[in-house]
Amino acid sequence: MTWSTPVRVNDNNEPAVPTDQFQPSVAAGPDGAVAVAFYDRRAACPSDPSVLAADVGRTNFCIDTSLQAYKDTGSGAQPVGANSRISQFTWDPMNPAQHVDGIGQMACASATDPCTTRAFIGDYFGLAISKTAVYALFVSTHYPSKVTADEGGPVYYQQQILSTVNRSAIGSTF
């Protein structure tokens, strides 16, 4: 047996502006459908209540989720279109920067408060394909919780998001 030549999934074709795409998930479905979803840092951090003021405008930092569809008719998977953003909102991995009862709420890679290492980006990522849709499960800090922070306002925890993409919207051959 031999392996095919590796193919780059992320279509960021701007080598002068490198960005981070990571934590891929792959799924195969009916009729030769194959999909790869991944976290994608191409977009600059937006001005949004869920994005820390210090992070607005930062590049290669805030996170979206992208999808690349493929069709495999028996001779290897071929791309169907370009990468598609499937997250509705770009999210800030440094949130929540708030406190509840004096305790920092950030998902930290270490067990310290304040977090002295880096934010933990949830590794809860799933992908499935049905006859009519692609389903991606991933995290986002965009959506406010009902918990009030010591600083006032809602805490922006990492929460599970289910994105449903109609297969016909991806391409007629997918």
Side-chain angles (χ1 to χ4, degrees):
M1 292 241 160
T2 60
W3 290 96
S4 62
T5 303
V7 176
R8 191 169 98 180
V9 173
N10 123 42
D11 62 10
N12 180 18
N13 294 321
E14 298 181 44
V17 186
T19 58
D20 192 16
Q21 288 82 35
F22 59 101
Q23 204 167 314
S25 184
V26 65
D31 304 319
V34 178
V36 179
F38 51 92
Y39 288 132
D40 193 337
R41 288 184 160 160
R42 281 181 254 197
C45 296
S47 179
D48 183 271
S50 67
V51 175
L52 300 177
D55 294 337
V56 171
R58 277 183 83 174
T59 56
N60 198 27
F61 189 76
C62 286
I63 301 171
D64 281 305
T65 303
S66 291
L67 176 77
Q68 178 60 58
Y70 293 88
K71 180 75 170 187
D72 189 344
T73 58
S75 58
Q78 298 300 313
V80 176
N83 293 167
S84 299
R85 175 181 166 182
I86 60 171
S87 50
Q88 185 175 1
F89 301 100
T90 304
W91 60 279
D92 188 342
M94 295 308 288
N95 242 342
Q98 304 98 338
H99 299 80
V100 173
D101 295 332
I103 299 170
Q105 299 299 294
M106 179 187 289
C108 188
S110 66
T112 59
D113 186 21
C115 184
T116 57
T117 55
R118 62 189 180 280
F120 174 74
I121 297 168
D123 58 356
Y124 337 102
F125 206 127
L127 190 62
I129 304 173
S130 75
K131 189 85 170 156
T132 59
V134 177
Y135 303 94
L137 181 71
F138 50 88
V139 299
S140 173
T141 61
H142 172 77
Y143 303 91
S145 72
K146 294 182 179 172
V147 177
T148 300
D150 295 349
E151 298 84 358
V155 176
Y156 290 90
Y157 292 114
Q158 286 187 18
Q159 298 180 44
Q160 293 295 314
I161 306 301
L162 178 63
S163 177
T164 304
V165 181
N166 190 307
R167 285 180 58 178
S168 64
I170 296 171
S172 61
T173 61
F174 184 69

